Amino acid sequence: MPVIPRSEYPQRWEKVRSLMAAQDLDLLIAYADDRATFGAAHARWLADFPVHFEPVGILFGPQAEPVMLVGPETLDYARLRSTIPDIRVLKEFTHPDEDYPFSRMQSLGEIVAQILPTHLPRRVGIAGLELMGAKTFASLKGVLPGSQWIDVEAGAGRLRAVKSPAEIAVIQEAYRIAELGFKAAVETVAEGVTEREIA
């Protein structure tokens, strides 16, 4: 069964940094959630992480390794699954009426201050903006006053569109499995057989 090797993910991170340099960005946040068909795409491509229930952000600075931003109920699962070792619970991803006594939460401002200790970011790229609710986006913008936010979804999509040999092998295997399923369904179709039985 073909898989994407973990060694491929740092190569993807370097492509993101190239996008940042081309667009003169100090930071880039790739946002993902499971509320849309392609909502988890950035987290899957950058961290091999299938998003469930809570949103996820992948934060890139100019040099440091990326930081995975999660909600408090996602933390342990992310530690088990993600290719990104630095995982933080983001305060802006929590519900204001909930209590999280066992989670150490940080605001985006605190995390950015660790990545950029000498200055606030001038330009922040965001991929997946169309997935993000207005309230979440406003809270992120609020902790980085004066920063210009740039929609980089098109550029991030172009990075994902160029497939590696490992990705092509995985896609081919997925199509092979799907084709077997369709053939089995067609062979099962007969008078008196229900759609449920065929499925």
PDB file of all heavy atoms in Angstrom, residues 52-65:
ATOM      1  N   HIS A  52     -10.782  16.925  12.542  1.00  0.00           N
ATOM      2  CA  HIS A  52     -12.104  16.524  13.012  1.00  0.00           C
ATOM      3  C   HIS A  52     -12.546  17.470  14.123  1.00  0.00           C
ATOM      4  O   HIS A  52     -11.771  17.763  15.026  1.00  0.00           O
ATOM      5  CB  HIS A  52     -12.103  15.095  13.570  1.00  0.00           C
ATOM      6  CG  HIS A  52     -11.777  14.053  12.550  1.00  0.00           C
ATOM      7  ND1 HIS A  52     -12.594  13.764  11.487  1.00  0.00           N
ATOM      8  CD2 HIS A  52     -10.699  13.245  12.423  1.00  0.00           C
ATOM      9  CE1 HIS A  52     -12.050  12.813  10.761  1.00  0.00           C
ATOM     10  NE2 HIS A  52     -10.908  12.481  11.296  1.00  0.00           N
ATOM     11  N   PHE A  53     -13.736  17.963  14.040  1.00  0.00           N
ATOM     12  CA  PHE A  53     -14.426  18.657  15.124  1.00  0.00           C
ATOM     13  C   PHE A  53     -13.914  20.081  15.378  1.00  0.00           C
ATOM     14  O   PHE A  53     -14.700  21.018  15.397  1.00  0.00           O
ATOM     15  CB  PHE A  53     -14.359  17.821  16.410  1.00  0.00           C
ATOM     16  CG  PHE A  53     -15.060  18.435  17.583  1.00  0.00           C
ATOM     17  CD1 PHE A  53     -16.417  18.710  17.531  1.00  0.00           C
ATOM     18  CD2 PHE A  53     -14.372  18.747  18.725  1.00  0.00           C
ATOM     19  CE1 PHE A  53     -17.071  19.287  18.600  1.00  0.00           C
ATOM     20  CE2 PHE A  53     -15.013  19.329  19.813  1.00  0.00           C
ATOM     21  CZ  PHE A  53     -16.364  19.590  19.750  1.00  0.00           C
ATOM     22  N   GLU A  54     -12.626  20.256  15.605  1.00  0.00           N
ATOM     23  CA  GLU A  54     -12.083  21.580  15.890  1.00  0.00           C
ATOM     24  C   GLU A  54     -11.195  22.046  14.738  1.00  0.00           C
ATOM     25  O   GLU A  54     -10.588  21.233  14.052  1.00  0.00           O
ATOM     26  CB  GLU A  54     -11.242  21.558  17.174  1.00  0.00           C
ATOM     27  CG  GLU A  54     -12.045  21.300  18.424  1.00  0.00           C
ATOM     28  CD  GLU A  54     -11.173  21.305  19.667  1.00  0.00           C
ATOM     29  OE1 GLU A  54     -10.131  20.627  19.694  1.00  0.00           O
ATOM     30  OE2 GLU A  54     -11.556  21.988  20.628  1.00  0.00           O
ATOM     31  N   PRO A  55     -11.088  23.369  14.543  1.00  0.00           N
ATOM     32  CA  PRO A  55     -10.216  23.865  13.471  1.00  0.00           C
ATOM     33  C   PRO A  55      -8.744  23.646  13.799  1.00  0.00           C
ATOM     34  O   PRO A  55      -8.365  23.426  14.951  1.00  0.00           O
ATOM     35  CB  PRO A  55     -10.549  25.357  13.399  1.00  0.00           C
ATOM     36  CG  PRO A  55     -11.092  25.701  14.738  1.00  0.00           C
ATOM     37  CD  PRO A  55     -11.764  24.458  15.251  1.00  0.00           C
ATOM     38  N   VAL A  56      -7.941  23.734  12.761  1.00  0.00           N
ATOM     39  CA  VAL A  56      -6.492  23.590  12.876  1.00  0.00           C
ATOM     40  C   VAL A  56      -5.854  24.693  12.038  1.00  0.00           C
ATOM     41  O   VAL A  56      -6.354  25.040  10.972  1.00  0.00           O
ATOM     42  CB  VAL A  56      -6.036  22.204  12.360  1.00  0.00           C
ATOM     43  CG1 VAL A  56      -4.530  22.146  12.173  1.00  0.00           C
ATOM     44  CG2 VAL A  56      -6.488  21.108  13.305  1.00  0.00           C
ATOM     45  N   GLY A  57      -4.762  25.224  12.535  1.00  0.00           N
ATOM     46  CA  GLY A  57      -3.964  26.166  11.760  1.00  0.00           C
ATOM     47  C   GLY A  57      -2.518  25.716  11.765  1.00  0.00           C
ATOM     48  O   GLY A  57      -2.037  25.177  12.764  1.00  0.00           O
ATOM     49  N   ILE A  58      -1.850  25.907  10.644  1.00  0.00           N
ATOM     50  CA  ILE A  58      -0.418  25.635  10.570  1.00  0.00           C
ATOM     51  C   ILE A  58       0.255  26.988  10.402  1.00  0.00           C
ATOM     52  O   ILE A  58       0.014  27.690   9.417  1.00  0.00           O
ATOM     53  CB  ILE A  58      -0.054  24.705   9.397  1.00  0.00           C
ATOM     54  CG1 ILE A  58      -0.983  23.491   9.323  1.00  0.00           C
ATOM     55  CG2 ILE A  58       1.411  24.302   9.484  1.00  0.00           C
ATOM     56  CD1 ILE A  58      -0.875  22.518  10.450  1.00  0.00           C
ATOM     57  N   LEU A  59       1.084  27.361  11.372  1.00  0.00           N
ATOM     58  CA  LEU A  59       1.710  28.685  11.399  1.00  0.00           C
ATOM     59  C   LEU A  59       3.170  28.577  10.975  1.00  0.00           C
ATOM     60  O   LEU A  59       3.933  27.801  11.552  1.00  0.00           O
ATOM     61  CB  LEU A  59       1.612  29.267  12.811  1.00  0.00           C
ATOM     62  CG  LEU A  59       2.331  30.592  13.074  1.00  0.00           C
ATOM     63  CD1 LEU A  59       1.722  31.717  12.240  1.00  0.00           C
ATOM     64  CD2 LEU A  59       2.281  30.932  14.557  1.00  0.00           C
ATOM     65  N   PHE A  60       3.521  29.367   9.953  1.00  0.00           N
ATOM     66  CA  PHE A  60       4.902  29.413   9.461  1.00  0.00           C
ATOM     67  C   PHE A  60       5.501  30.780   9.737  1.00  0.00           C
ATOM     68  O   PHE A  60       4.882  31.807   9.464  1.00  0.00           O
ATOM     69  CB  PHE A  60       4.938  29.183   7.945  1.00  0.00           C
ATOM     70  CG  PHE A  60       4.680  27.758   7.547  1.00  0.00           C
ATOM     71  CD1 PHE A  60       3.384  27.313   7.365  1.00  0.00           C
ATOM     72  CD2 PHE A  60       5.726  26.875   7.351  1.00  0.00           C
ATOM     73  CE1 PHE A  60       3.135  26.003   6.993  1.00  0.00           C
ATOM     74  CE2 PHE A  60       5.483  25.561   6.982  1.00  0.00           C
ATOM     75  CZ  PHE A  60       4.185  25.119   6.807  1.00  0.00           C
ATOM     76  N   GLY A  61       6.711  30.766  10.292  1.00  0.00           N
ATOM     77  CA  GLY A  61       7.514  31.960  10.404  1.00  0.00           C
ATOM     78  C   GLY A  61       8.592  31.927   9.339  1.00  0.00           C
ATOM     79  O   GLY A  61       8.645  31.008   8.521  1.00  0.00           O
ATOM     80  N   PRO A  62       9.501  32.893   9.353  1.00  0.00           N
ATOM     81  CA  PRO A  62      10.511  32.949   8.294  1.00  0.00           C
ATOM     82  C   PRO A  62      11.535  31.821   8.349  1.00  0.00           C
ATOM     83  O   PRO A  62      12.072  31.425   7.323  1.00  0.00           O
ATOM     84  CB  PRO A  62      11.168  34.307   8.505  1.00  0.00           C
ATOM     85  CG  PRO A  62      10.855  34.674   9.917  1.00  0.00           C
ATOM     86  CD  PRO A  62       9.560  34.027  10.255  1.00  0.00           C
ATOM     87  N   GLN A  63      11.817  31.271   9.534  1.00  0.00           N
ATOM     88  CA  GLN A  63      12.869  30.269   9.628  1.00  0.00           C
ATOM     89  C   GLN A  63      12.503  29.076  10.497  1.00  0.00           C
ATOM     90  O   GLN A  63      12.860  27.945  10.180  1.00  0.00           O
ATOM     91  CB  GLN A  63      14.155  30.910  10.180  1.00  0.00           C
ATOM     92  CG  GLN A  63      14.721  31.961   9.242  1.00  0.00           C
ATOM     93  CD  GLN A  63      15.857  32.715   9.864  1.00  0.00           C
ATOM     94  OE1 GLN A  63      16.072  32.677  11.056  1.00  0.00           O
ATOM     95  NE2 GLN A  63      16.602  33.434   9.024  1.00  0.00           N
ATOM     96  N   ALA A  64      11.817  29.299  11.576  1.00  0.00           N
ATOM     97  CA  ALA A  64      11.555  28.216  12.533  1.00  0.00           C
ATOM     98  C   ALA A  64      10.673  27.136  11.909  1.00  0.00           C
ATOM     99  O   ALA A  64      10.027  27.345  10.889  1.00  0.00           O
ATOM    100  CB  ALA A  64      10.880  28.778  13.780  1.00  0.00           C
ATOM    101  N   GLU A  65      10.664  25.961  12.539  1.00  0.00           N
ATOM    102  CA  GLU A  65       9.771  24.894  12.109  1.00  0.00           C
ATOM    103  C   GLU A  65       8.317  25.374  12.271  1.00  0.00           C
ATOM    104  O   GLU A  65       8.030  26.218  13.121  1.00  0.00           O
ATOM    105  CB  GLU A  65       9.989  23.650  12.970  1.00  0.00           C
ATOM    106  CG  GLU A  65      11.354  23.018  12.790  1.00  0.00           C
ATOM    107  CD  GLU A  65      11.557  22.485  11.386  1.00  0.00           C
ATOM    108  OE1 GLU A  65      10.729  21.672  10.937  1.00  0.00           O
ATOM    109  OE2 GLU A  65      12.536  22.889  10.742  1.00  0.00           O
TER     110      GLU A  65
END
